[in-house]
Amino acid sequence: MRPMHEEGMIDAVAYEDRSTDGTKQRRDTEDMPTVTAELEPGAPAVLLAPLLAQFAAVARLEHVTRAAAELGMPQPTLSRAVARLEQELGVSLLAREGRTVRLTRAGRIFLAAVERALSEVERGAEAARAEADPTGGRVAFGFLHTMGSEAVPMLLRGFRAGHPRVRFQLVQDYTDSMLQRLREGELDLCLVSPRPEGPELTARRLGEQRLRLVVPADHRLAGRQRVRLRDVAGDAFVTLEPGYGLRRITDALCAEAGFTPRISFEGEESETLRGLVAAGLGVAVLPPATVARPDVAELQLSSPGARREIALAWVTGRPLTPPAEAFRGYVLSVRGQLPLHS
């Protein structure tokens, strides 16, 4: 039942898959593989980077004085910078001809690389500014699979009515994984259950789902409306994998009822588990189905703990970009209105 972790981008060509061995395969028209430069003292990038724009200005204008005027720096300072660059490289980049200069063969080769590097820096700076554009920009938003069919589309539709240029990177994952990605800065916000504890994260309640015991349509209890969980203590269970919030709730409810569930299948997505129940492979504790299906019965559980809280989480004290902050405000403004089918 893998892979079930998914990522996508609205209004951008970027998405992430996981292969069958669990590794991420990201395809992006802009994010091509790069080799990181060494940054130890004496490394070329450390020594040369501050001098590149100055060299490029001289090379483009073929005149040190004019280049100094364009850069807004004294001509002697610029001359010393170019000389230092040549010294670090150990080659002559410019041939002096009176007041003008011309590129040597080595200079032409080096200039091509410098222009590419400066262009990448400029492109990166523009992308960083666009990321924080309050009228555009991007929001990295994570959410549970069970929120993906109705709740998340409702939130995105409502928010984009007032912010049509904001892009979204959407991540479907389980709670523990999303919270880790939130802490590491990969996500701005995430929709999780249960609500996380601890001072490093802030979470606000959005609503609550009453959990159901899902059994096959021909199960001995299928005709009931309300049951106790210990009524199925002898049945096989199909559950989410360890690490999922719903799995922790299921284990806790079974322990409260006085038994350890006999697990026949573990999966990563609630609708898959519902299908396994329909096939007669076990029973499951799940949130309500978005669309009722005739091959299973969904029964109320008598335990007061048979519920899960849905919350919006972010990193405490970490400033959000303007679009992410605007989206957080919108989500909190419609709390209690999510279609949770409780």
Side-chain angles (χ1 to χ4, degrees):
M1 285 180 281
R2 293 178 180 272
M4 295 307 300
H5 309 294
E6 302 166 359
E7 260 186 43
M9 183 88 79
I10 292 180
D11 289 350
V13 186
Y15 52 98
E16 180 180 287
D17 293 337
R18 288 179 187 261
S19 65
T20 53
D21 63 2
T23 58
K24 294 181 181 179
Q25 295 179 323
R26 186 179 182 91
R27 297 186 288 277
D28 193 320
T29 54
E30 295 183 354
D31 298 332
M32 302 300 292
T34 57
V35 178
T36 55
E38 294 183 5
L39 298 179
E40 292 81 1
V46 174
L47 296 174
L48 305 181
L51 308 174
L52 299 185
Q54 297 167 351
F55 166 70
V58 174
R60 290 173 186 175
L61 296 173
E62 296 185 334
H63 200 288
V64 178
T65 303
R66 293 173 187 164
E70 183 170 291
L71 294 171
M73 63 188 302
Q75 183 268 325
T77 302
L78 181 57
S79 295
R80 287 194 296 271
V82 174
R84 180 186 167 194
L85 180 61
E86 292 177 314
Q87 182 180 0
E88 295 292 352
L89 290 173
V91 296
S92 295
L93 301 174
L94 301 170
R96 280 74 178 173
E97 297 179 347
R99 295 184 176 182
T100 62
V101 295
R102 62 175 176 82
L103 288 167
T104 63
R105 173 176 163 75
R108 287 193 300 273
I109 294 172
F110 187 59
L111 178 63
V114 169
E115 294 287 15
R116 287 195 299 271
L118 294 176
S119 177
E120 283 297 302
V121 170
E122 186 173 32
R123 190 173 74 97
E126 290 174 355
R129 293 189 191 101
E131 187 87 349
D133 180 357
T135 62
R138 181 186 66 107
V139 179
F141 181 44
F143 55 93
L144 301 167
H145 287 88
T146 51
M147 298 287 105
S149 60
E150 286 191 294
V152 169
M154 186 199 86
L155 291 172
L156 297 181
R157 181 177 63 248
F159 177 73
R160 282 168 61 86
H163 302 78
R165 292 181 53 232
V166 172
R167 296 169 294 121
F168 281 83
Q169 179 184 358
L170 301 178
V171 177
Q172 291 178 278
D173 213 335
Y174 64 99
T175 292
D176 286 0
S177 176
M178 281 194 292
L179 294 179
Q180 183 60 32
R181 297 172 80 167
L182 191 65
R183 294 184 184 97
E184 293 173 354
E186 291 185 41
L187 296 176
D188 299 311
L189 303 160
C190 58
L191 208 57
V192 296
S193 179
R195 181 161 58 172
E197 304 291 339
E200 78 279 8
L201 297 175
T202 300
R204 294 288 181 268
R205 173 190 169 96
L206 299 181
E208 179 181 276
Q209 285 182 315
R210 290 285 299 179
L211 301 177
R212 304 288 195 267
L213 177 68
V214 184
V215 301
D218 59 356
H219 191 272
R220 66 184 186 281
L221 300 177
R224 297 192 191 179
Q225 288 189 340
R226 189 179 183 88
V227 296
R228 298 170 300 179
L229 195 57
R230 66 170 174 264
D231 294 338
V232 291
D235 288 59
F237 275 70
V238 295
T239 71
L240 296 178
E241 294 181 349
Y244 284 72
L246 187 57
R247 171 61 181 272
R248 290 197 293 271
I249 295 173
T250 300
D251 289 345
L253 289 173
C254 291
E256 180 186 279
F259 71 96
T260 299
R262 177 168 57 87
I263 297 172
S264 57
F265 291 91
E266 293 178 332
E268 297 180 319
E269 205 276 323
S270 293
E271 285 308 305
T272 300
L273 300 187
R274 198 169 261 106
L276 295 177
V277 172
L281 299 175
V283 301
V285 176
L286 295 172
T290 302
V291 178
R293 46 189 299 171
D295 48 5
V296 299
E298 306 212 356
L299 314 176
Q300 296 180 24
L301 285 165
S302 59
S303 171
R307 64 186 68 208
R308 69 171 183 172
E309 185 179 35
I310 307 299
L312 182 71
W314 60 89
V315 175
T316 303
R318 179 186 294 166
L320 293 173
T321 62
E325 186 172 0
F327 183 60
R328 177 180 64 183
Y330 174 77
V331 173
L332 296 179
S333 74
V334 297
R335 70 174 88 186
Q337 301 176 32
L338 296 183
L340 301 179
H341 300 280
S342 290

